[in-house]
Amino acid sequence: MNTAFAAEKTAQAEAAREQERAFQARVDRGEIRMVAADRYEILTGWDRGETFTLSRNAEGQIEQIIAAHGLGDRADGTAALYASSPAWHGLGQIIPQGTTDIDEVLRLSGLDFEVITVPALYEWQGQMREHADQQHTVRADTGAALGAVGSRYTPIQNRAGFVFLQELVSRYDVVWESAGLLRGGKRVFISIRLPETVAVDADGINDIVVPYIAVMNDHSGNGQFQCVVTPWRPVCANTERFAVRDAVTRWAVRHTAGATSQIKEARRTLGLSARYFEQFAAEETALARTDIAIADFHQVIADLWPLEEDASKRKRTNHAARLDAITDVYRTESGRVGHTAYAAERAITGYLDHLTPRRPPQSMTEEIARATALLEGADDEIKSKAHRRLLQLRTR
């Protein structure tokens, strides 16, 4: 018995040491870095920019990875997220390769609730009165208040988002990529992956960009029902916004009766056509075949973020820090695809998606605020400006 006990403890100790060695190897390879005591940031892959915390036991050994995901919770306490592949935090309900079943995704993602409106009441001199021009949105399953809205507001149900995407792409066998809720259901998101992929410089670097369509619905009264095309590179999950002939890649509608029936208008606005993606690939390929000097790259950055001559010391410090951060990303990208305008665009996009400072509201972590900014297109304008500016380098 003593021999067996000693062997078991030896095996446990070795397993713990192996886990520590594997973790340290990731640090040494530059995949993750420590940002505080037992808090780490992911530097590579799909989840670049996300953070997590290590929980250790009394002996100082790694016991658990605690994700800073910021997602809402389902009734059973699990993260309100469905995905077709595991996320970095290991949370959520994962179905490998995804599913086409709307009901299953609604259940797994925590979106299986309806939103109703109730009168907006207030107390006056001991009596309850109704505010005729206002109402509240409420979760029908829990009674949780989501927001205050006008009298003409009509909730767009979570299921309607799924049906809208099916009708948008004229397919009813679409595989759902991800779905989940934020802020207790005040905001929800759904995404599908389009079957087309875009090969940039197919005869050269052959970089693959995957188009996704995401729906974001707001039940709080502070946002519209939105649909956006979000191409991204699987190698690092950079979300792109391209200015192909100034094509608009976002469509939004207010919460009114019949809002999601405007499929034709949504298709036209989003530019969902083979021609769009062909032109898309052509412009990116042109960037991939345009050499760029570091001085030209820095000039593009200066054009995007101009610094006034009388700028304060703080602004100058922030400007220099931004330049250093983007240049670091450019070194990585240029090592993979060459010193090209394409690498420059990847660097600018990578900085905006993963490194630019975000100030999250109280209900969000920085990570989820960053993800929300990606979907909502907080940096669309500057990404499109960078794209157009870099395309000008071809004609010099």
Side-chain angles (χ1 to χ4, degrees), residues 327 329-340 343-344:
T327 302
V329 182
Y330 174 71
R331 290 193 189 98
T332 300
E333 292 292 346
S334 59
R336 191 179 66 83
V337 299
H339 295 276
T340 62

Side-chain angles (χ1 to χ4, degrees), residues 97-248:
Q97 308 307 315
T99 179
T100 62
D101 188 334
I102 292 178
D103 290 316
E104 188 170 20
V105 177
L106 283 167
R107 178 179 61 83
L108 294 175
S109 63
L111 300 185
D112 53 346
F113 65 89
E114 291 196 343
V115 176
I116 60 174
T117 56
V118 298
L121 304 176
Y122 64 96
E123 184 179 352
W124 176 253
Q125 296 182 348
Q127 293 184 336
M128 296 303 297
R129 293 187 178 185
E130 180 178 343
H131 187 170
D133 296 329
Q134 293 289 316
Q135 54 186 344
H136 293 293
T137 50
V138 173
R139 284 185 59 155
D141 59 341
T142 64
L146 300 176
V149 297
S151 59
R152 299 178 61 184
Y153 181 100
T154 301
I156 298 176
Q157 303 300 339
N158 296 334
R159 177 180 287 274
F162 289 86
V163 174
F164 176 85
L165 283 176
Q166 286 181 328
E167 294 180 350
L168 185 67
V169 297
S170 300
R171 290 183 61 178
Y172 294 87
D173 61 346
V174 295
V175 174
W176 305 107
E177 188 68 27
S178 64
L181 61 86
L182 303 168
R183 303 172 187 166
K186 292 181 179 180
R187 291 186 65 79
V188 304
F189 60 89
I190 310 160
S191 74
I192 60 173
R193 173 175 174 168
L194 293 178
E196 302 88 354
T197 58
V198 178
V200 176
D201 192 16
D203 298 327
I205 60 174
N206 194 33
D207 209 17
I208 301 299
V209 177
V210 181
Y212 281 72
I213 302 180
V215 154
M216 291 154 289
N217 194 9
D218 185 286
H219 296 308
S220 71
N222 294 320
Q224 297 175 303
F225 178 91
Q226 299 183 70
C227 189
V228 58
V229 178
T230 62
W232 65 282
R233 296 169 60 227
V235 69
C236 66
N238 283 6
T239 303
E240 316 294 354
R241 297 290 190 270
F242 296 86
V244 179
R245 299 271 178 99
D246 293 323
V248 178

Side-chain angles (χ1 to χ4, degrees), residues 3 56 63 70-71 101 147 170 172 194-195 226 229 247 255 265 270 296 307 337 357 376 389 393-394:
T3 301
R56 297 181 181 272
E63 192 171 60
L71 296 164
D101 188 334
S170 300
Y172 294 87
L194 293 178
Q226 299 183 70
V229 178
H255 289 73
E265 174 63 19
L270 292 168
D296 293 330
L307 182 67
V337 299
E376 294 180 343
R389 177 68 177 81
L393 299 178
R394 296 180 306 163

Side-chain angles (χ1 to χ4, degrees), residues 263-330:
I263 297 296
K264 288 185 179 179
E265 174 63 19
R267 285 199 191 110
R268 185 191 67 78
T269 302
L270 292 168
L272 296 177
S273 67
R275 183 179 178 185
Y276 171 81
F277 290 115
E278 289 171 2
Q279 192 172 343
F280 194 25
E283 291 198 4
E284 291 304 294
T285 298
L287 292 180
R289 296 176 180 177
T290 301
D291 293 335
I292 184 173
I294 192 68
D296 293 330
F297 177 49
H298 285 175
Q299 184 57 54
V300 170
I301 296 173
D303 293 343
L304 295 174
W305 290 280
L307 182 67
E308 300 85 356
E309 289 186 6
D310 59 347
S312 65
K313 182 179 179 180
R314 180 178 179 181
K315 285 186 176 181
R316 290 182 181 279
T317 299
N318 291 339
H319 187 273
R322 181 192 300 114
L323 178 61
D324 289 344
I326 300 177
T327 302
D328 275 348
V329 182
Y330 174 71

Side-chain angles (χ1 to χ4, degrees), residues 21-32 42 44 52:
R21 285 194 291 267
F23 188 83
Q24 186 59 45
R26 292 191 65 193
V27 175
D28 295 340
R29 290 195 299 269
E31 297 176 4
I32 56 179
I42 299 172
T44 62
F52 62 89

Side-chain angles (χ1 to χ4, degrees), residues 42 46-47 50-52 65-69 86-91 367:
I42 299 172
W46 292 8
D47 311 314
E50 308 291 1
T51 62
F52 62 89
I65 291 178
I66 302 172
H69 55 86
W88 65 271
H89 41 60
L91 299 175
E367 292 79 14

